[in-house]
Amino acid sequence: MRPQFLFIISLLLFFSSLVTAQQLKIFDEETGVPLGLVSIISPDLNESVITNNQGIADITSINISEVFKIQLIGYNELSLSYTDLKKHNFIIGLSPKDYLLNQVVVSAQRWSTEKAQLPSKVTSITSEQIEIENPQTTADLLNTSGEVFIQKSQMGGGSPMIRGFSANRLLISVDGVRMNTAIFRGGNLQNVISLDPFAISNTEILFGPGSVIYGSDAIGGVISFFTWKPELSNTKKMKINGELDFRYSSANREKTGHFHLNVGWEKWALLSSFSHFNYDDLKMGSYGPDDYLRDFYVITERNKDSMVSNPDQRIQKPTGYSQNNFMQKLLFKPNKNWDFEYAFHYSATTDVPRYDRLIRTKDGLPKYAEWNYGPQIWMMNLLSINHQKKTKIYDNISIKGAYQHFEESRNDRNFNDSIRRKTKEKVEAYSFNADFKKDIQQNNQLFYGFEWIWNTVNSQGATENIIAKSSTLGPSRYPNSNWSSYALYLSYNMHINEQLLISGGTRYSRYIINSQFDTQFYPFPFTEANINHGALVGNLGINYQPGNNLVLSGNISTGFRAPNVDDMGKVFDSEPGAVVVPNPDLQIEYIYNAEIGISKSFDAKVSIDARAYYSILEGAMVRRDFSVNGQDSMMYNGELSKIQAIQNAAQARIWGFSFGLEAQLLERLLLSSRFNYQKGVDEMPDGSTSPSRHVAPMFGLTRLSYTQEKWTVNLYAQYSGQISYESLADSEKSKTYLYAKDKNGNPYSPAWYTINLKLQYKINHMLHLSAGLENISDQRYRTYSSGIAAAGRNLIFSLKLMF
């Protein structure tokens, strides 16, 4: 036979194989997103195939099988015949398992993306987890992930730490709108507690720099909260549904109530939500360092302060407060392509005692008689417009316009001093975001967008005489200022082939600060400051799926933080004997990050993932000694204090790794575990290094979950390693009131663990009962850098009624 005939026959055989090839497509039933790494198994032939990044698998080699098992960890398994597949036109949807930690679809790029295709690490916390864990605050909600470390200075607080970064080096987003303002500080923050855990449908945590998409502050990570959306009716009849929740916790006598109501029509829907939280003083555990015991507190009668003994030293007086949250949403969906949503959020606390200041002493007496955060108020008005239609410039567009109001205050008075110092800050924050998504060819995606931000800061100070009942003008915490930003970003996902995905992006941002300083109380050598800086950042990632349920990823990225009003213009006492003053010469700090990751699933029963990273922070804004008018000290609150200022004076290096495991031991029994290890050093003025302040000790969480039709049971251990005196940051060693004492009398942060049990019983589709016993062994501990001891043994009861 002639060679040309052999060639023609080969071509015909090849094309006939393409024609007869049978493809099966698998997608997420809830989101419609194609699923990669799905195993399609033929038990008869003992063979299997795997779906690619587009959710497609060629089942030609196993199409004679009688039964096909379709498996992906995180989803309910299906067993279907070939006839069943044919009935569904070889397009099959998988439904997620509610009790699994693993979530496949996330919004790291502001658009739904399959998790397996992301070069960065993202963790999700679902509403099902929130329901069984019953976190008191949103900070406690983040703690349930086992991958975010939470610091608390007082019970009404909770400052997340991610990869050695905290406070204004993490970005918080609510429904796609940045919560970070011009006065987010470098010290520990408590703004996340303004959010209502009952109103949150999903939480996503992006680890590592996210500045390409989110801009300034997204250095250590991005925490994105997504609140519930109104539900439309599927019929022409009006749909009404709602929920009532009641909860009690013994450790702080928490009494919480929540109510929400949804009314939906075909094109319109309303959602109203209200929550009230009431907390008494927090009781610590029985077994642990005596250094944490509260042996005294202060009472004030007839304007005279007295130091009294605490009859129960495990009760941390005063720590109690209360909070109200309200959310109102309106949805209008005229057709399948458009939706318009308006959202109103409001949150307000009562006064919150700052416990870590109230436990400080001076010459054997309390240093403070009072130290409270005034009511913390947050309000947001948000208009969101979404359009989905293939055009020349986009397939999807999301537009968000938001106005936020922030209000916070500080009130303190020294022991037996008649003068109360007060500061109050208000921030009006306006923002506009336009985000676009465009599919290029078949497999590639282009993301781009624009962001504009405007903050106005108004700060006031006053001094009150509690005896004379008089008030006079006092020094403010910040200069009155405007802080603004505008930015453009571009990101692209390119599928080289079915196994290889390369993604990259860049962003240019401009930041402007204009501040006016009042020299009436402090002799600053300037009366105004103006900062105008630009920042260019980028990232490049690779995601490789060679088969056998294996995913390899790598990512290099840069991020940045532009100086804000808190960095540049604040006056405050940072530590005993030191005062921080304004510095109008600050520059942008940049982070350079590299990381690698690996994840693998074994027979859709076991999944492991590991990630290692190394980050360098250049031009880090840190506190250093400073001088004003040639003086290195000044009087502040009646005390001669060393002058310091925030300066671009250091380099910081952070490195670490994380490990995760999920194993389905039995059909209804799941084992999951998270472990995190990080180290970091900061450059000191003399060229030496000190451990980084916000690098948490090693920590983790291991959970055993059992789920059946009506019951869910979680038994888990949470733990943290020790930070010895030698490993404490230099700035922490002087804060002896925060830490336990080692055998040499030096401060250190001891290791700790808790054993916890959570149960949920679904009586019917309308009534759920939950109970929990946290810290079963009643350990007494403080999380690293915290000023308040965690709750001791804590019994929780909750009732959920749905209608």
Side-chain angles (χ1 to χ4, degrees):
M1 186 176 290
R2 294 181 181 180
Q4 56 265 39
F5 290 116
L6 288 173
F7 177 72
I8 292 171
I9 291 172
S10 299
L11 281 178
L12 290 173
L13 289 173
F14 174 74
F15 284 112
S16 66
S17 68
L18 291 180
V19 171
T20 58
Q22 182 58 65
Q23 291 186 332
L24 177 64
K25 184 173 183 178
I26 310 294
F27 66 95
D28 185 303
E29 201 168 59
E30 292 186 359
T31 65
V33 173
L35 297 176
L37 299 178
V38 179
S39 299
I40 297 129
I41 303 167
S42 167
D44 305 332
L45 303 177
N46 197 25
E47 292 184 14
S48 65
V49 294
I50 306 293
T51 60
N52 59 21
N53 288 333
Q54 288 76 50
I56 296 172
D58 184 349
I59 61 169
T60 306
S61 61
I62 57 173
N63 64 5
I64 60 172
S65 179
E66 293 185 5
V67 177
F68 297 85
K69 285 190 175 182
I70 304 173
Q71 299 176 343
L72 176 63
I73 193 164
Y75 288 83
N76 292 304
E77 179 182 318
L78 290 179
S79 292
L80 300 171
S81 67
Y82 191 84
T83 303
D84 294 329
L85 298 180
K86 194 172 182 179
K87 285 180 181 178
H88 290 87
N89 295 318
F90 297 94
I91 301 175
I92 302 296
L94 292 184
S95 60
K97 289 182 177 178
D98 291 340
Y99 57 85
L100 279 173
L101 291 176
N102 211 24
Q103 291 295 301
V104 174
V105 178
V106 296
S107 298
Q109 295 173 312
R110 289 191 180 269
W111 299 99
S112 293
T113 309
E114 188 182 345
K115 185 176 179 180
Q117 296 186 20
L118 293 172
S120 300
K121 176 179 172 61
V122 178
T123 290
S124 297
I125 304 172
T126 66
S127 58
E128 290 79 15
Q129 289 174 254
I130 296 173
E131 181 179 350
I132 190 170
E133 292 296 338
N134 270 307
Q136 290 191 356
T137 69
T138 309
D140 298 330
L141 181 157
L142 293 171
N143 187 55
T144 65
S145 69
E147 297 180 280
V148 179
F149 194 89
I150 300 296
Q151 180 277 349
K152 289 189 178 184
S153 297
Q154 64 282 333
M155 188 167 65
S159 188
M161 295 183 181
I162 298 176
R163 290 191 174 183
F165 296 104
S166 181
N168 57 15
R169 290 190 177 112
L170 299 178
L171 188 123
I172 302 170
S173 169
V174 183
D175 290 333
V177 177
R178 63 180 288 135
M179 195 182 202
N180 295 43
T181 71
I183 63 170
F184 264 42
R185 57 188 181 272
N188 299 306
L189 289 169
Q190 65 266 11
N191 294 77
V192 292
I193 71 165
S194 290
L195 297 168
D196 180 1
F198 287 103
I200 295 173
S201 62
N202 189 39
T203 302
E204 298 173 355
I205 305 154
L206 169 67
F207 294 81
S211 289
V212 167
I213 302 298
Y214 292 95
S216 179
D217 303 359
I219 282 184
V222 177
I223 303 171
S224 296
F225 297 102
F226 300 94
T227 58
W228 289 106
K229 293 177 68 69
E231 296 179 13
L232 297 168
S233 173
N234 295 324
T235 67
K236 293 184 178 181
K237 293 183 179 180
M238 182 175 64
K239 173 183 179 180
I240 300 178
N241 61 288
E243 181 178 310
L244 277 168
D245 294 89
F246 303 96
R247 184 173 65 220
Y248 173 82
S249 301
S250 63
N252 55 1
R253 298 181 181 179
E254 178 209 12
K255 295 170 283 293
T256 287
H258 166 76
F259 168 77
H260 77 247
L261 177 68
N262 184 91
V263 181
W265 297 269
E266 285 186 276
K267 296 183 178 181
W268 292 86
L270 288 166
L271 175 63
S272 301
S273 171
F274 176 77
S275 299
H276 174 73
F277 307 86
N278 184 274
Y279 311 104
D280 205 341
D281 295 327
L282 182 64
K283 190 171 186 177
M284 67 181 80
S286 302
Y287 307 103
D290 290 343
D291 308 273
Y292 300 155
L293 293 171
R294 176 67 157 157
D295 57 357
F296 74 90
Y297 61 96
V298 175
I299 60 172
T300 303
E301 296 177 337
R302 297 179 181 178
N303 296 324
K304 181 175 176 57
D305 301 323
S306 300
M307 179 181 181
V308 298
S309 296
N310 189 359
D312 188 344
Q313 296 186 11
R314 291 170 56 203
I315 295 180
Q316 301 172 88
K317 289 180 175 286
T319 50
Y321 75 102
S322 63
Q323 179 173 327
N324 291 320
N325 282 79
F326 175 71
M327 180 180 76
Q328 179 65 56
K329 288 192 173 186
L330 172 65
L331 173 66
F332 173 54
K333 191 173 181 63
N335 53 53
K336 65 179 183 179
N337 301 116
W338 288 95
D339 68 68
F340 302 82
E341 182 182 282
Y342 167 74
F344 174 79
H345 298 264
Y346 183 83
S347 171
T349 70
T350 58
D351 285 354
V352 178
R354 181 159 177 184
Y355 184 75
D356 67 336
R357 295 296 177 97
L358 294 170
I359 62 178
R360 289 171 60 175
T361 60
K362 184 178 181 180
D363 300 327
L365 294 172
K367 181 170 182 178
Y368 296 102
E370 306 172 17
W371 214 119
N372 298 313
Y373 286 111
Q376 178 173 295
I377 297 173
W378 170 64
M379 178 183 72
M380 180 168 76
N381 292 271
L382 170 62
L383 178 63
S384 302
I385 302 172
N386 296 290
H387 183 226
Q388 180 178 348
K389 186 177 181 180
K390 288 188 177 295
T391 69
K392 291 183 179 180
I393 60 172
Y394 68 84
D395 297 334
N396 303 81
I397 180 174
S398 173
I399 297 173
K400 296 179 183 292
Y403 161 66
Q404 298 179 81
H405 170 82
F406 298 83
E407 193 171 314
E408 59 186 54
S409 56
R410 295 162 177 81
N411 310 296
D412 71 272
R413 184 173 61 82
N414 291 341
F415 187 71
N416 276 330
D417 190 335
S418 62
I419 300 300
R420 178 185 292 127
R421 295 172 293 271
K422 304 179 71 174
T423 61
K424 187 173 186 177
E425 288 72 53
K426 294 182 180 179
V427 178
E428 315 298 333
Y430 305 85
S431 62
F432 177 84
N433 292 81
D435 299 291
F436 302 83
K437 177 184 176 183
K438 178 65 180 173
D439 290 335
I440 307 297
Q441 298 173 346
Q442 184 178 357
N443 301 323
N444 304 328
Q445 297 88 35
L446 174 67
F447 309 93
Y448 62 99
F450 168 80
E451 181 180 65
W452 171 84
I453 303 166
W454 179 276
N455 285 191
T456 63
V457 179
N458 179 270
S459 183
Q460 300 174 343
T463 57
E464 289 183 351
N465 189 309
I466 64 170
I467 298 176
K469 307 296 183 183
S470 61
S471 178
T472 59
L473 189 67
S476 63
R477 182 176 172 89
Y478 299 110
N480 290 333
S481 306
N482 295 323
W483 181 91
S484 62
S485 165
Y486 52 89
L488 292 167
Y489 77 89
L490 178 73
S491 183
Y492 192 73
N493 288 354
M494 178 183 293
H495 292 268
I496 305 300
N497 51 46
E498 292 184 355
Q499 289 80 36
L500 183 61
L501 169 68
I502 295 178
S503 60
T506 186
R507 179 190 184 102
Y508 179 78
S509 303
R510 199 80 195 173
Y511 288 86
I512 302 167
I513 302 179
N514 296 302
S515 299
Q516 302 294 322
F517 290 89
D518 185 351
T519 58
Q520 178 180 353
F521 298 98
Y522 301 114
F524 301 134
F526 44 79
T527 57
E528 64 177 36
N530 301 288
I531 294 178
N532 190 331
H533 295 312
L536 180 66
V537 292
N539 61 26
L540 180 64
I542 186 171
N543 193 289
Y544 180 54
Q545 301 179 22
N548 297 319
N549 294 334
L550 176 67
V551 179
L552 304 173
S553 61
N555 185 32
I556 55 175
S557 56
T558 58
F560 74 99
R561 187 171 75 84
N564 62 19
V565 176
D566 183 89
D567 300 310
M568 183 270 293
K570 178 175 60 177
V571 178
F572 80 113
D573 56 329
S574 62
E575 57 189 50
V579 59
V580 173
V581 301
N583 175 14
D585 297 321
L586 283 174
Q587 303 289 320
I588 290 174
E589 63 181 17
Y590 288 90
I591 187 173
Y592 303 91
N593 178 76
E595 59 187 277
I596 55 173
I598 181 173
S599 62
K600 182 170 174 59
S601 296
F602 301 88
D603 298 326
K605 298 293 184 183
V606 178
S607 175
I608 61 171
D609 63 86
R611 187 165 292 267
Y613 59 90
Y614 189 93
S615 302
I616 299 175
L617 185 65
E618 290 284 1
M621 287 181 265
V622 294
R623 211 164 51 229
R624 292 287 185 262
D625 290 346
F626 199 62
S627 64
V628 175
N629 294 330
Q631 302 296 313
D632 62 1
S633 300
M634 62 186 290
M635 294 300 297
Y636 182 76
N637 288 344
E639 182 178 354
L640 185 65
S641 301
K642 178 173 60 176
I643 297 176
Q644 297 181 325
I646 305 296
Q647 303 171 56
N648 299 97
Q651 181 193 83
R653 291 179 284 120
I654 311 287
W655 62 93
F657 68 88
S658 62
F659 176 79
L661 166 70
E662 289 182 356
Q664 197 145 0
L665 304 180
L666 300 171
E667 182 181 356
R668 300 183 181 274
L669 188 64
L670 175 74
L671 172 68
S672 61
S673 188
R674 295 289 182 268
F675 177 78
N676 311 272
Y677 177 88
Q678 49 277 312
K679 287 289 184 181
V681 293
D682 293 340
E683 181 185 6
M684 303 305 290
D686 62 0
S688 62
T689 60
S690 165
S692 295
R693 175 189 173 194
H694 291 299
V695 173
M698 65 177 185
F699 69 98
L701 183 150
T702 298
R703 180 184 284 116
L704 197 61
S705 301
Y706 176 78
T707 302
Q708 57 167 294
E709 184 178 353
K710 291 191 173 184
W711 281 97
T712 299
V713 181
N714 282 354
L715 177 66
Y716 64 95
Q718 198 158 12
Y719 50 89
S720 171
Q722 171 185 291
I723 295 186
S724 66
Y725 173 73
E726 293 75 18
S727 298
L728 275 179
D730 288 357
S731 61
E732 294 295 291
K733 290 179 179 178
S734 62
K735 302 175 184 176
T736 55
Y737 54 90
L738 295 182
Y739 296 100
K741 293 181 177 62
D742 64 17
K743 61 182 180 181
N744 298 317
N746 294 318
Y748 83 113
S749 181
W752 56 266
Y753 74 94
T754 61
I755 306 295
N756 313 272
L757 178 67
K758 299 290 175 67
L759 304 99
Q760 182 187 70
Y761 179 59
K762 298 179 180 178
I763 298 175
N764 52 46
H765 69 281
M766 294 179 62
L767 188 61
H768 294 180
L769 292 177
S770 296
L773 189 59
E774 296 177 333
N775 194 1
I776 294 173
S777 57
D778 207 22
Q779 299 297 305
R780 183 187 305 145
Y781 69 98
R782 281 182 186 166
T783 60
Y784 164 68
S785 191
S786 292
I788 186 171
R793 187 180 294 120
N794 185 32
L795 184 62
I796 304 168
F797 288 105
S798 73
L799 173 68
K800 179 177 181 178
L801 176 64
M802 295 165 287
F803 59 91

